[in-house]
Amino acid sequence: MVYVYAITESFRRPTTEQRGLKDRPLAVEVAGSVAAVYSVHDCPAPRPTADHVWRHEQVIEHLMTDHAVLPARFGTTFGDDGKLAALLETHHDRLLAGLKRVRGHVELGLRVLWKPSEVRADGPAEPAGQTGHAYMKARMAEEQRRRVEQRRAERLADELDAPLVGLSSERTRRVLARPEVPLTAAYLVPRAHLDAFRREVQRLVVARPDVRVLCTGPWPPYHFVPPLVDPAEENRA
Amino acid sequence: MSDTNLANPARSPEEEVTLLELLDRVLDKGVVLSGEVTLSVADVDLVYLGLRVLLSSVDAAERLRGGEPGPA
């Protein structure tokens, strides 16, 4: 079983300083200008334990010190390296473009937490189920509350997001993915802007003591990889 | 859930926050070279169940940092 960690620029000499999962040596499959870094295992595919995901991440971060990297999703395996080589050739140009996109960049993550609003837009909702009218009125009140909360989250997201977007090449975000999380975002930041980005986050923390701001990274560019497989075809067991 | 040790008391709040952020990336993002991503839906759901750990860790993490963010 071949376990893949990342796609990177073509190089032939695998690192001996970093080992893969279960301390297996790393190998490189080259196809034109791109390469896949992998390790070979006899056992079944690894489970996503804390140790395994950290080792997966360590391999990628080690590669990032010298190469542009597209991190592979955890659990990307092949029966043999022949299949891997074929896929690299199939997706060569798209992978090469993806590497160019992320070269010189790192990913920074932002997660903002707040206390969800408990104030209803038009006062307490009537108990549902007593009459059809009461039920619909309660549903409408709930929907109005939801929309008010959505707008509140979007205003906060725009306020916190704008200065960080200015320091990034790209950004992806989700607003109000959960009631407690008004903003989750990932930023593709040029390495030269890293310190300025962190200072800006610190400024936002001071400016908005009513919310909690968690900034993590630098990460490999997990959110900024090219799509290769139709999402409908992704096979999760 | 025990395999991912999301609630490992030996791990600091900062380490738990970082692990959750890492899980969110490696399990749901990154290049998918083929359909053979060998994960179960339950494994991915653990990330979002772990959000409650994240929320409870925020206060502790802030106390440790003095209210400052920065890379975890």
Side-chain angles (χ1 to χ4, degrees):
Chain A
M1 184 268 289
V2 170
Y3 182 92
V4 180
Y5 300 89
I7 306 300
T8 183
E9 301 153 316
S10 175
F11 69 102
R12 294 208 174 265
R13 188 174 60 205
T15 177
T16 57
E17 298 171 357
Q18 177 67 49
R19 308 283 279 194
L21 297 180
K22 299 184 185 295
D23 276 340
R24 298 292 294 174
L26 298 176
V28 181
E29 180 69 40
V30 176
S33 299
V34 302
V37 178
Y38 68 93
S39 54
V40 179
H41 302 260
D42 296 327
C43 53
R47 288 181 53 77
T49 65
D51 289 342
H52 285 165
V53 296
W54 275 122
R55 180 56 63 92
H56 177 95
E57 173 70 8
Q58 284 169 359
V59 171
I60 299 169
E61 290 187 3
H62 178 80
L63 293 169
M64 272 181 67
T65 58
D66 295 319
H67 307 281
V69 165
L70 300 173
R73 189 169 298 184
F74 184 93
T76 299
T77 63
F78 296 86
D80 56 69
D81 56 6
K83 291 184 180 178
L84 174 59
L87 277 170
L88 289 179
E89 291 178 8
T90 298
H91 300 297
H92 177 275
D93 291 348
R94 193 172 296 183
L95 291 171
L96 191 61
L99 288 167
K100 180 180 178 181
R101 175 190 184 195
V102 302
R103 186 172 295 120
H105 292 74
V106 294
E107 176 176 311
L108 289 176
L110 197 75
R111 194 183 295 264
V112 180
L113 306 171
W114 71 2
K115 183 178 180 182
S117 174
E118 296 178 0
V119 177
R120 298 199 179 271
D122 61 346
E126 296 181 28
Q130 288 189 345
T131 65
H133 174 77
Y135 174 73
M136 290 305 299
K137 192 173 180 181
R139 286 292 304 272
M140 288 177 60
E142 183 179 339
E143 175 64 17
Q144 187 173 3
R145 174 181 170 274
R146 188 194 67 77
R147 291 182 183 182
V148 168
E149 192 78 335
Q150 179 74 26
R151 286 196 294 270
R152 189 166 80 100
E154 288 174 357
R155 283 197 299 270
L156 176 65
D158 288 343
E159 176 188 337
L160 297 179
D161 192 45
L164 301 178
V165 169
L167 294 167
S168 310
S169 296
E170 295 184 44
R171 178 267 280 145
T172 177
R173 81 177 194 184
R174 289 187 66 189
V175 177
L176 213 58
R178 296 175 61 92
E180 310 90 347
V181 187
L183 175 62
T184 307
Y187 302 85
L188 188 64
V189 180
R191 290 181 184 270
H193 292 176
L194 193 54
D195 289 342
F197 190 98
R198 288 171 175 164
R199 287 196 298 271
E200 186 60 34
V201 170
Q202 179 60 23
R203 189 191 68 77
L204 294 172
V205 167
V206 173
R208 291 302 299 260
D210 55 318
V211 299
R212 295 189 175 100
V213 179
L214 300 177
C215 179
T216 60
W219 301 102
Y222 284 99
H223 282 80
F224 302 98
V225 298
L228 303 180
V229 176
D230 184 340
E233 295 177 1
E234 285 186 29
N235 177 27
R236 289 189 175 183
Chain B
M1 192 163 185
S2 61
D3 282 348
T4 56
N5 293 326
L6 282 176
N8 185 350
R11 192 177 297 119
S12 70
E14 289 179 330
E15 290 173 328
E16 286 198 343
V17 168
T18 304
L19 176 58
L20 285 169
E21 291 288 326
L22 174 61
L23 286 170
D24 200 26
R25 283 167 169 79
V26 300
L27 299 183
D28 193 42
K29 304 297 178 191
V31 173
V32 180
L33 283 169
S34 73
E36 298 176 17
V37 177
T38 54
L39 291 174
S40 71
V41 172
D43 290 333
V44 176
D45 287 346
L46 287 173
V47 176
Y48 300 101
L49 287 173
L51 184 61
R52 295 203 177 276
V53 176
L54 172 71
L55 292 173
S56 66
S57 297
V58 167
D59 283 338
E62 284 196 334
R63 284 196 298 272
L64 286 171
R65 290 187 177 281
E68 296 180 2

mmCIF file with all atom_site columns, all heavy atoms in Angstrom, chain B residues 17-38:
data_model
loop_
_atom_site.group_PDB
_atom_site.id
_atom_site.type_symbol
_atom_site.label_atom_id
_atom_site.label_alt_id
_atom_site.label_comp_id
_atom_site.label_asym_id
_atom_site.label_entity_id
_atom_site.label_seq_id
_atom_site.pdbx_PDB_ins_code
_atom_site.Cartn_x
_atom_site.Cartn_y
_atom_site.Cartn_z
_atom_site.occupancy
_atom_site.B_iso_or_equiv
_atom_site.pdbx_formal_charge
_atom_site.auth_seq_id
_atom_site.auth_comp_id
_atom_site.auth_asym_id
_atom_site.auth_atom_id
_atom_site.pdbx_PDB_model_num
ATOM 1   N N   . VAL B 1 17 ? -6.488  22.813 20.735 1.00 0.00 ? 17 VAL B N   1
ATOM 2   C CA  . VAL B 1 17 ? -6.969  23.716 19.699 1.00 0.00 ? 17 VAL B CA  1
ATOM 3   C C   . VAL B 1 17 ? -6.231  23.451 18.393 1.00 0.00 ? 17 VAL B C   1
ATOM 4   O O   . VAL B 1 17 ? -6.833  23.348 17.331 1.00 0.00 ? 17 VAL B O   1
ATOM 5   C CB  . VAL B 1 17 ? -6.796  25.182 20.128 1.00 0.00 ? 17 VAL B CB  1
ATOM 6   C CG1 . VAL B 1 17 ? -7.024  26.124 18.960 1.00 0.00 ? 17 VAL B CG1 1
ATOM 7   C CG2 . VAL B 1 17 ? -7.749  25.518 21.268 1.00 0.00 ? 17 VAL B CG2 1
ATOM 8   N N   . THR B 1 18 ? -4.919  23.318 18.486 1.00 0.00 ? 18 THR B N   1
ATOM 9   C CA  . THR B 1 18 ? -4.124  23.082 17.281 1.00 0.00 ? 18 THR B CA  1
ATOM 10  C C   . THR B 1 18 ? -4.475  21.743 16.654 1.00 0.00 ? 18 THR B C   1
ATOM 11  O O   . THR B 1 18 ? -4.570  21.642 15.426 1.00 0.00 ? 18 THR B O   1
ATOM 12  C CB  . THR B 1 18 ? -2.632  23.129 17.614 1.00 0.00 ? 18 THR B CB  1
ATOM 13  O OG1 . THR B 1 18 ? -2.329  24.376 18.226 1.00 0.00 ? 18 THR B OG1 1
ATOM 14  C CG2 . THR B 1 18 ? -1.786  22.981 16.362 1.00 0.00 ? 18 THR B CG2 1
ATOM 15  N N   . LEU B 1 19 ? -4.666  20.714 17.464 1.00 0.00 ? 19 LEU B N   1
ATOM 16  C CA  . LEU B 1 19 ? -5.016  19.401 16.926 1.00 0.00 ? 19 LEU B CA  1
ATOM 17  C C   . LEU B 1 19 ? -6.357  19.458 16.205 1.00 0.00 ? 19 LEU B C   1
ATOM 18  O O   . LEU B 1 19 ? -6.520  18.881 15.130 1.00 0.00 ? 19 LEU B O   1
ATOM 19  C CB  . LEU B 1 19 ? -5.063  18.367 18.044 1.00 0.00 ? 19 LEU B CB  1
ATOM 20  C CG  . LEU B 1 19 ? -5.507  16.959 17.623 1.00 0.00 ? 19 LEU B CG  1
ATOM 21  C CD1 . LEU B 1 19 ? -4.585  16.390 16.541 1.00 0.00 ? 19 LEU B CD1 1
ATOM 22  C CD2 . LEU B 1 19 ? -5.550  16.023 18.818 1.00 0.00 ? 19 LEU B CD2 1
ATOM 23  N N   . LEU B 1 20 ? -7.312  20.139 16.773 1.00 0.00 ? 20 LEU B N   1
ATOM 24  C CA  . LEU B 1 20 ? -8.613  20.253 16.128 1.00 0.00 ? 20 LEU B CA  1
ATOM 25  C C   . LEU B 1 20 ? -8.499  20.994 14.802 1.00 0.00 ? 20 LEU B C   1
ATOM 26  O O   . LEU B 1 20 ? -9.133  20.635 13.810 1.00 0.00 ? 20 LEU B O   1
ATOM 27  C CB  . LEU B 1 20 ? -9.604  20.945 17.042 1.00 0.00 ? 20 LEU B CB  1
ATOM 28  C CG  . LEU B 1 20 ? -10.127 20.074 18.185 1.00 0.00 ? 20 LEU B CG  1
ATOM 29  C CD1 . LEU B 1 20 ? -10.894 20.911 19.186 1.00 0.00 ? 20 LEU B CD1 1
ATOM 30  C CD2 . LEU B 1 20 ? -11.003 18.960 17.653 1.00 0.00 ? 20 LEU B CD2 1
ATOM 31  N N   . GLU B 1 21 ? -7.732  22.066 14.782 1.00 0.00 ? 21 GLU B N   1
ATOM 32  C CA  . GLU B 1 21 ? -7.536  22.785 13.531 1.00 0.00 ? 21 GLU B CA  1
ATOM 33  C C   . GLU B 1 21 ? -6.831  21.893 12.506 1.00 0.00 ? 21 GLU B C   1
ATOM 34  O O   . GLU B 1 21 ? -7.146  21.924 11.317 1.00 0.00 ? 21 GLU B O   1
ATOM 35  C CB  . GLU B 1 21 ? -6.723  24.059 13.780 1.00 0.00 ? 21 GLU B CB  1
ATOM 36  C CG  . GLU B 1 21 ? -7.464  25.115 14.574 1.00 0.00 ? 21 GLU B CG  1
ATOM 37  C CD  . GLU B 1 21 ? -8.565  25.782 13.776 1.00 0.00 ? 21 GLU B CD  1
ATOM 38  O OE1 . GLU B 1 21 ? -8.418  25.955 12.549 1.00 0.00 ? 21 GLU B OE1 1
ATOM 39  O OE2 . GLU B 1 21 ? -9.605  26.131 14.372 1.00 0.00 ? 21 GLU B OE2 1
ATOM 40  N N   . LEU B 1 22 ? -5.879  21.093 12.969 1.00 0.00 ? 22 LEU B N   1
ATOM 41  C CA  . LEU B 1 22 ? -5.179  20.194 12.068 1.00 0.00 ? 22 LEU B CA  1
ATOM 42  C C   . LEU B 1 22 ? -6.131  19.142 11.514 1.00 0.00 ? 22 LEU B C   1
ATOM 43  O O   . LEU B 1 22 ? -6.139  18.866 10.306 1.00 0.00 ? 22 LEU B O   1
ATOM 44  C CB  . LEU B 1 22 ? -4.025  19.522 12.801 1.00 0.00 ? 22 LEU B CB  1
ATOM 45  C CG  . LEU B 1 22 ? -3.273  18.436 12.033 1.00 0.00 ? 22 LEU B CG  1
ATOM 46  C CD1 . LEU B 1 22 ? -2.632  19.008 10.776 1.00 0.00 ? 22 LEU B CD1 1
ATOM 47  C CD2 . LEU B 1 22 ? -2.219  17.783 12.907 1.00 0.00 ? 22 LEU B CD2 1
ATOM 48  N N   . LEU B 1 23 ? -6.935  18.539 12.385 1.00 0.00 ? 23 LEU B N   1
ATOM 49  C CA  . LEU B 1 23 ? -7.895  17.531 11.935 1.00 0.00 ? 23 LEU B CA  1
ATOM 50  C C   . LEU B 1 23 ? -8.853  18.111 10.909 1.00 0.00 ? 23 LEU B C   1
ATOM 51  O O   . LEU B 1 23 ? -9.190  17.460 9.916  1.00 0.00 ? 23 LEU B O   1
ATOM 52  C CB  . LEU B 1 23 ? -8.673  16.982 13.129 1.00 0.00 ? 23 LEU B CB  1
ATOM 53  C CG  . LEU B 1 23 ? -7.917  16.019 14.051 1.00 0.00 ? 23 LEU B CG  1
ATOM 54  C CD1 . LEU B 1 23 ? -8.725  15.759 15.302 1.00 0.00 ? 23 LEU B CD1 1
ATOM 55  C CD2 . LEU B 1 23 ? -7.595  14.727 13.337 1.00 0.00 ? 23 LEU B CD2 1
ATOM 56  N N   . ASP B 1 24 ? -9.289  19.330 11.159 1.00 0.00 ? 24 ASP B N   1
ATOM 57  C CA  . ASP B 1 24 ? -10.206 19.982 10.245 1.00 0.00 ? 24 ASP B CA  1
ATOM 58  C C   . ASP B 1 24 ? -9.594  20.096 8.851  1.00 0.00 ? 24 ASP B C   1
ATOM 59  O O   . ASP B 1 24 ? -10.301 20.071 7.847  1.00 0.00 ? 24 ASP B O   1
ATOM 60  C CB  . ASP B 1 24 ? -10.561 21.372 10.788 1.00 0.00 ? 24 ASP B CB  1
ATOM 61  C CG  . ASP B 1 24 ? -11.837 21.899 10.166 1.00 0.00 ? 24 ASP B CG  1
ATOM 62  O OD1 . ASP B 1 24 ? -12.669 21.081 9.743  1.00 0.00 ? 24 ASP B OD1 1
ATOM 63  O OD2 . ASP B 1 24 ? -11.992 23.132 10.102 1.00 0.00 ? 24 ASP B OD2 1
ATOM 64  N N   . ARG B 1 25 ? -8.273  20.205 8.770  1.00 0.00 ? 25 ARG B N   1
ATOM 65  C CA  . ARG B 1 25 ? -7.595  20.359 7.487  1.00 0.00 ? 25 ARG B CA  1
ATOM 66  C C   . ARG B 1 25 ? -7.272  19.009 6.844  1.00 0.00 ? 25 ARG B C   1
ATOM 67  O O   . ARG B 1 25 ? -7.612  18.756 5.699  1.00 0.00 ? 25 ARG B O   1
ATOM 68  C CB  . ARG B 1 25 ? -6.317  21.177 7.683  1.00 0.00 ? 25 ARG B CB  1
ATOM 69  C CG  . ARG B 1 25 ? -6.583  22.654 7.827  1.00 0.00 ? 25 ARG B CG  1
ATOM 70  C CD  . ARG B 1 25 ? -5.380  23.426 8.321  1.00 0.00 ? 25 ARG B CD  1
ATOM 71  N NE  . ARG B 1 25 ? -5.645  24.857 8.170  1.00 0.00 ? 25 ARG B NE  1
ATOM 72  C CZ  . ARG B 1 25 ? -6.401  25.559 9.009  1.00 0.00 ? 25 ARG B CZ  1
ATOM 73  N NH1 . ARG B 1 25 ? -6.926  24.981 10.074 1.00 0.00 ? 25 ARG B NH1 1
ATOM 74  N NH2 . ARG B 1 25 ? -6.618  26.855 8.787  1.00 0.00 ? 25 ARG B NH2 1
ATOM 75  N N   . VAL B 1 26 ? -6.615  18.146 7.573  1.00 0.00 ? 26 VAL B N   1
ATOM 76  C CA  . VAL B 1 26 ? -6.122  16.915 6.949  1.00 0.00 ? 26 VAL B CA  1
ATOM 77  C C   . VAL B 1 26 ? -7.255  15.959 6.590  1.00 0.00 ? 26 VAL B C   1
ATOM 78  O O   . VAL B 1 26 ? -7.099  15.168 5.658  1.00 0.00 ? 26 VAL B O   1
ATOM 79  C CB  . VAL B 1 26 ? -5.097  16.185 7.834  1.00 0.00 ? 26 VAL B CB  1
ATOM 80  C CG1 . VAL B 1 26 ? -3.891  17.072 8.109  1.00 0.00 ? 26 VAL B CG1 1
ATOM 81  C CG2 . VAL B 1 26 ? -5.712  15.697 9.129  1.00 0.00 ? 26 VAL B CG2 1
ATOM 82  N N   . LEU B 1 27 ? -8.378  16.025 7.311  1.00 0.00 ? 27 LEU B N   1
ATOM 83  C CA  . LEU B 1 27 ? -9.465  15.095 7.054  1.00 0.00 ? 27 LEU B CA  1
ATOM 84  C C   . LEU B 1 27 ? -10.461 15.614 6.019  1.00 0.00 ? 27 LEU B C   1
ATOM 85  O O   . LEU B 1 27 ? -11.193 14.838 5.416  1.00 0.00 ? 27 LEU B O   1
ATOM 86  C CB  . LEU B 1 27 ? -10.216 14.770 8.345  1.00 0.00 ? 27 LEU B CB  1
ATOM 87  C CG  . LEU B 1 27 ? -9.403  14.113 9.459  1.00 0.00 ? 27 LEU B CG  1
ATOM 88  C CD1 . LEU B 1 27 ? -10.306 13.794 10.644 1.00 0.00 ? 27 LEU B CD1 1
ATOM 89  C CD2 . LEU B 1 27 ? -8.716  12.847 8.962  1.00 0.00 ? 27 LEU B CD2 1
ATOM 90  N N   . ASP B 1 28 ? -10.510 16.921 5.829  1.00 0.00 ? 28 ASP B N   1
ATOM 91  C CA  . ASP B 1 28 ? -11.551 17.492 4.967  1.00 0.00 ? 28 ASP B CA  1
ATOM 92  C C   . ASP B 1 28 ? -11.003 18.330 3.818  1.00 0.00 ? 28 ASP B C   1
ATOM 93  O O   . ASP B 1 28 ? -11.743 18.685 2.904  1.00 0.00 ? 28 ASP B O   1
ATOM 94  C CB  . ASP B 1 28 ? -12.492 18.359 5.825  1.00 0.00 ? 28 ASP B CB  1
ATOM 95  C CG  . ASP B 1 28 ? -13.764 18.721 5.086  1.00 0.00 ? 28 ASP B CG  1
ATOM 96  O OD1 . ASP B 1 28 ? -14.322 17.831 4.417  1.00 0.00 ? 28 ASP B OD1 1
ATOM 97  O OD2 . ASP B 1 28 ? -14.184 19.884 5.153  1.00 0.00 ? 28 ASP B OD2 1
ATOM 98  N N   . LYS B 1 29 ? -9.712  18.672 3.851  1.00 0.00 ? 29 LYS B N   1
ATOM 99  C CA  . LYS B 1 29 ? -9.114  19.508 2.810  1.00 0.00 ? 29 LYS B CA  1
ATOM 100 C C   . LYS B 1 29 ? -7.909  18.789 2.222  1.00 0.00 ? 29 LYS B C   1
ATOM 101 O O   . LYS B 1 29 ? -7.624  17.645 2.535  1.00 0.00 ? 29 LYS B O   1
ATOM 102 C CB  . LYS B 1 29 ? -8.694  20.865 3.401  1.00 0.00 ? 29 LYS B CB  1
ATOM 103 C CG  . LYS B 1 29 ? -9.827  21.619 4.076  1.00 0.00 ? 29 LYS B CG  1
ATOM 104 C CD  . LYS B 1 29 ? -10.918 21.973 3.107  1.00 0.00 ? 29 LYS B CD  1
ATOM 105 C CE  . LYS B 1 29 ? -12.061 22.695 3.820  1.00 0.00 ? 29 LYS B CE  1
ATOM 106 N NZ  . LYS B 1 29 ? -13.255 22.827 2.951  1.00 0.00 ? 29 LYS B NZ  1
ATOM 107 N N   . GLY B 1 30 ? -7.169  19.498 1.379  1.00 0.00 ? 30 GLY B N   1
ATOM 108 C CA  . GLY B 1 30 ? -6.007  18.878 0.765  1.00 0.00 ? 30 GLY B CA  1
ATOM 109 C C   . GLY B 1 30 ? -6.371  18.225 -0.551 1.00 0.00 ? 30 GLY B C   1
ATOM 110 O O   . GLY B 1 30 ? -7.550  18.033 -0.889 1.00 0.00 ? 30 GLY B O   1
ATOM 111 N N   . VAL B 1 31 ? -5.339  17.870 -1.295 1.00 0.00 ? 31 VAL B N   1
ATOM 112 C CA  . VAL B 1 31 ? -5.520  17.278 -2.620 1.00 0.00 ? 31 VAL B CA  1
ATOM 113 C C   . VAL B 1 31 ? -6.121  15.884 -2.498 1.00 0.00 ? 31 VAL B C   1
ATOM 114 O O   . VAL B 1 31 ? -5.685  15.077 -1.681 1.00 0.00 ? 31 VAL B O   1
ATOM 115 C CB  . VAL B 1 31 ? -4.167  17.193 -3.362 1.00 0.00 ? 31 VAL B CB  1
ATOM 116 C CG1 . VAL B 1 31 ? -4.328  16.423 -4.662 1.00 0.00 ? 31 VAL B CG1 1
ATOM 117 C CG2 . VAL B 1 31 ? -3.619  18.586 -3.635 1.00 0.00 ? 31 VAL B CG2 1
ATOM 118 N N   . VAL B 1 32 ? -7.103  15.609 -3.320 1.00 0.00 ? 32 VAL B N   1
ATOM 119 C CA  . VAL B 1 32 ? -7.680  14.272 -3.429 1.00 0.00 ? 32 VAL B CA  1
ATOM 120 C C   . VAL B 1 32 ? -7.308  13.746 -4.809 1.00 0.00 ? 32 VAL B C   1
ATOM 121 O O   . VAL B 1 32 ? -7.866  14.174 -5.819 1.00 0.00 ? 32 VAL B O   1
ATOM 122 C CB  . VAL B 1 32 ? -9.205  14.292 -3.255 1.00 0.00 ? 32 VAL B CB  1
ATOM 123 C CG1 . VAL B 1 32 ? -9.775  12.874 -3.383 1.00 0.00 ? 32 VAL B CG1 1
ATOM 124 C CG2 . VAL B 1 32 ? -9.577  14.882 -1.894 1.00 0.00 ? 32 VAL B CG2 1
ATOM 125 N N   . LEU B 1 33 ? -6.365  12.833 -4.848 1.00 0.00 ? 33 LEU B N   1
ATOM 126 C CA  . LEU B 1 33 ? -5.863  12.344 -6.128 1.00 0.00 ? 33 LEU B CA  1
ATOM 127 C C   . LEU B 1 33 ? -6.803  11.351 -6.782 1.00 0.00 ? 33 LEU B C   1
ATOM 128 O O   . LEU B 1 33 ? -6.789  11.181 -7.990 1.00 0.00 ? 33 LEU B O   1
ATOM 129 C CB  . LEU B 1 33 ? -4.493  11.685 -5.934 1.00 0.00 ? 33 LEU B CB  1
ATOM 130 C CG  . LEU B 1 33 ? -3.332  12.668 -5.754 1.00 0.00 ? 33 LEU B CG  1
ATOM 131 C CD1 . LEU B 1 33 ? -2.086  11.930 -5.316 1.00 0.00 ? 33 LEU B CD1 1
ATOM 132 C CD2 . LEU B 1 33 ? -3.072  13.422 -7.046 1.00 0.00 ? 33 LEU B CD2 1
ATOM 133 N N   . SER B 1 34 ? -7.584  10.672 -5.959 1.00 0.00 ? 34 SER B N   1
ATOM 134 C CA  . SER B 1 34 ? -8.513  9.712  -6.521 1.00 0.00 ? 34 SER B CA  1
ATOM 135 C C   . SER B 1 34 ? -9.652  9.558  -5.537 1.00 0.00 ? 34 SER B C   1
ATOM 136 O O   . SER B 1 34 ? -9.698  10.239 -4.514 1.00 0.00 ? 34 SER B O   1
ATOM 137 C CB  . SER B 1 34 ? -7.843  8.354  -6.746 1.00 0.00 ? 34 SER B CB  1
ATOM 138 O OG  . SER B 1 34 ? -7.641  7.719  -5.492 1.00 0.00 ? 34 SER B OG  1
ATOM 139 N N   . GLY B 1 35 ? -10.579 8.642  -5.809 1.00 0.00 ? 35 GLY B N   1
ATOM 140 C CA  . GLY B 1 35 ? -11.670 8.420  -4.878 1.00 0.00 ? 35 GLY B CA  1
ATOM 141 C C   . GLY B 1 35 ? -11.264 7.593  -3.682 1.00 0.00 ? 35 GLY B C   1
ATOM 142 O O   . GLY B 1 35 ? -12.060 7.365  -2.798 1.00 0.00 ? 35 GLY B O   1
ATOM 143 N N   . GLU B 1 36 ? -10.021 7.128  -3.634 1.00 0.00 ? 36 GLU B N   1
ATOM 144 C CA  . GLU B 1 36 ? -9.629  6.195  -2.585 1.00 0.00 ? 36 GLU B CA  1
ATOM 145 C C   . GLU B 1 36 ? -9.114  6.914  -1.346 1.00 0.00 ? 36 GLU B C   1
ATOM 146 O O   . GLU B 1 36 ? -7.949  6.841  -0.996 1.00 0.00 ? 36 GLU B O   1
ATOM 147 C CB  . GLU B 1 36 ? -8.561  5.247  -3.109 1.00 0.00 ? 36 GLU B CB  1
ATOM 148 C CG  . GLU B 1 36 ? -9.024  4.395  -4.262 1.00 0.00 ? 36 GLU B CG  1
ATOM 149 C CD  . GLU B 1 36 ? -7.885  3.541  -4.798 1.00 0.00 ? 36 GLU B CD  1
ATOM 150 O OE1 . GLU B 1 36 ? -6.881  3.379  -4.093 1.00 0.00 ? 36 GLU B OE1 1
ATOM 151 O OE2 . GLU B 1 36 ? -8.012  3.068  -5.924 1.00 0.00 ? 36 GLU B OE2 1
ATOM 152 N N   . VAL B 1 37 ? -9.992  7.662  -0.718 1.00 0.00 ? 37 VAL B N   1
ATOM 153 C CA  . VAL B 1 37 ? -9.610  8.272  0.555  1.00 0.00 ? 37 VAL B CA  1
ATOM 154 C C   . VAL B 1 37 ? -10.237 7.420  1.638  1.00 0.00 ? 37 VAL B C   1
ATOM 155 O O   . VAL B 1 37 ? -11.453 7.390  1.792  1.00 0.00 ? 37 VAL B O   1
ATOM 156 C CB  . VAL B 1 37 ? -10.090 9.729  0.661  1.00 0.00 ? 37 VAL B CB  1
ATOM 157 C CG1 . VAL B 1 37 ? -9.748  10.304 2.019  1.00 0.00 ? 37 VAL B CG1 1
ATOM 158 C CG2 . VAL B 1 37 ? -9.441  10.558 -0.433 1.00 0.00 ? 37 VAL B CG2 1
ATOM 159 N N   . THR B 1 38 ? -9.429  6.688  2.354  1.00 0.00 ? 38 THR B N   1
ATOM 160 C CA  . THR B 1 38 ? -9.945  5.645  3.235  1.00 0.00 ? 38 THR B CA  1
ATOM 161 C C   . THR B 1 38 ? -10.274 6.196  4.604  1.00 0.00 ? 38 THR B C   1
ATOM 162 O O   . THR B 1 38 ? -9.546  6.009  5.562  1.00 0.00 ? 38 THR B O   1
ATOM 163 C CB  . THR B 1 38 ? -8.913  4.520  3.356  1.00 0.00 ? 38 THR B CB  1
ATOM 164 O OG1 . THR B 1 38 ? -7.674  5.084  3.777  1.00 0.00 ? 38 THR B OG1 1
ATOM 165 C CG2 . THR B 1 38 ? -8.718  3.838  2.017  1.00 0.00 ? 38 THR B CG2 1
#
